[in-house]
């Protein structure tokens, strides 16, 4: 019979190895927001205390850094500086303002992304799409949704763009967004599929238009109640 303490330690080591592999392979880069504790609990069939033990170990080894109310990130000097400055505290952006900035940024870098994306970037974007479509909770869907867009941004390989998007991502976490339901998620899933398809084909024009259409759809739905969505 496997000792309970040994089994817990094995799970801890497994989670630590998983995170380190993602970092070493470049899938999770500096500033990347890692999954929630709940996500790790489900993925590894581990107790929450076991997950916390693994994350504590990673934090003590300066692999990750936790920010109360915002999540846990792969350690990054840039994101730590931004957190210390806390430049968004007094800004208090609205969802519409954040989405307007995303419309200005994401479609504009489509050519960079199409040119510089690696096979690993494309594979991970496809995984994000697949997992978002299979998400069993709204929380999980939102996480994979954010991951998909962040993956595309990181594929630009432009540190300034990545940093700016980290600030935008922080703003997204600080505000209340419109509610989601299955119908809206299905609609966004189709738009995400077009984005990923253009991304995988390195089609800059199609990617730009797919991103623009999706973000305009998000902005449009901010003004509409769930029961009046137009698909």
């Amino acid at each position: 019979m496997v000792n309970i303490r040994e089994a817990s330690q094995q799970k801890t080591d497994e989670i630590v190895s998983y995170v380190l592999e993602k970092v070493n392979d470049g899938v999770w880069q500096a500033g990347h927001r890692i999954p929630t504790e709940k996500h790790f609990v489900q993925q590894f069939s581990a107790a929450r205390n076991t997950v916390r033990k693994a994350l504590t170990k990673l934090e003590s080894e300066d692999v990750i850094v936790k920010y109360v109310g915002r999540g846990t990130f792969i350690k990054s000097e840039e994101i730590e500086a931004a957190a210390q400055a806390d430049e968004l505290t007094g800004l208090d952006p609205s969802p519409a303002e954040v989405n307007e900035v995303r419309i200005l940024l994401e479609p504009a870098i489509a050519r960079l992304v199409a040119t510089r994306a690696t096979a690993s970037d494309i594979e991970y974007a496809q995984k994000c799409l697949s997992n978002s479509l299979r998400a069993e909770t709204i929380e999980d869907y939102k996480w994979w949704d954010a991951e998909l867009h962040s993956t595309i941004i990181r594929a630009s390989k432009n540190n300034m763009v990545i940093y700016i998007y980290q600030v935008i991502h922080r703003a997204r976490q600080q505000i209340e967004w419109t509610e989601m339901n299955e119908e809206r998620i299905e609609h966004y899933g189709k738009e995400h599929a077009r984005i990923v398809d253009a991304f995988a084909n390195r089609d800059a024009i199609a990617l730009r238009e797919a991103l623009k259409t999706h973000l305009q759809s998000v902005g449009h739905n901010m003004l509409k109640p769930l029961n009046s969505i137009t698909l």
Side-chain angles (χ1 to χ4, degrees), residues 38-213:
K38 179 180 178 181
H39 183 94
F40 280 118
V41 167
Q42 295 174 341
Q43 180 175 351
F44 291 91
S45 299
R48 189 173 290 272
N49 285 343
T50 299
V51 172
R52 288 176 178 169
K53 183 178 178 181
L55 296 180
T56 297
K57 177 176 175 60
L58 289 163
E59 188 174 20
S60 69
E61 295 177 354
D62 284 334
V63 177
I64 64 174
V65 59
K66 298 178 181 179
Y67 296 112
V68 177
R70 299 209 331 267
T72 303
F73 301 78
I74 301 302
K75 194 163 185 180
S76 159
E77 291 182 3
E78 290 82 2
I79 201 169
E80 285 189 274
Q84 291 171 359
D86 202 16
E87 69 275 24
L88 292 175
T89 299
L91 189 56
D92 192 25
S94 69
E97 288 175 321
V98 173
N99 202 60
E100 285 174 357
V101 174
R102 293 181 66 196
I103 291 175
L104 290 173
L105 176 64
E106 294 187 42
I109 65 168
R111 188 168 298 280
L112 277 182
V113 169
T115 302
R116 298 178 178 178
T118 65
S120 178
D121 292 329
I122 294 171
E123 181 181 357
Y124 189 60
Q126 292 170 330
K127 177 181 178 180
C128 289
L129 173 62
S130 177
N131 286 346
S132 71
L133 296 176
R134 297 200 311 264
E136 296 182 357
T137 66
I138 297 297
E139 180 184 46
D140 284 345
Y141 168 79
K142 289 181 177 180
W143 193 89
W144 285 112
D145 172 19
E147 270 297 278
L148 173 57
H149 286 276
S150 294
T151 298
I152 292 173
I153 293 293
R154 289 193 299 270
S156 70
K157 312 305 179 191
N158 183 303
N159 290 329
M160 281 299 297
V161 169
I162 294 170
Y163 175 72
I164 291 170
Y165 196 77
Q166 288 173 347
V167 175
I168 294 172
H169 185 63
R170 287 184 61 206
R172 292 183 69 192
Q173 294 176 312
Q174 293 178 8
I175 56 185
E176 292 295 328
W177 291 87
T178 52
E179 296 180 357
M180 300 289 290
N181 65 358
E182 292 183 3
E183 189 177 16
R184 187 163 286 178
I185 288 175
E186 181 181 359
H187 178 56
Y188 288 164
K190 293 176 181 177
E191 293 180 339
H192 282 154
R194 287 192 284 271
I195 291 170
V196 172
D197 185 59
F199 183 49
N201 290 322
R202 301 181 185 277
D203 187 333
I205 295 176
L207 179 59
R208 182 180 67 239
E209 292 305 310
L211 285 166
K212 183 179 179 181
T213 297

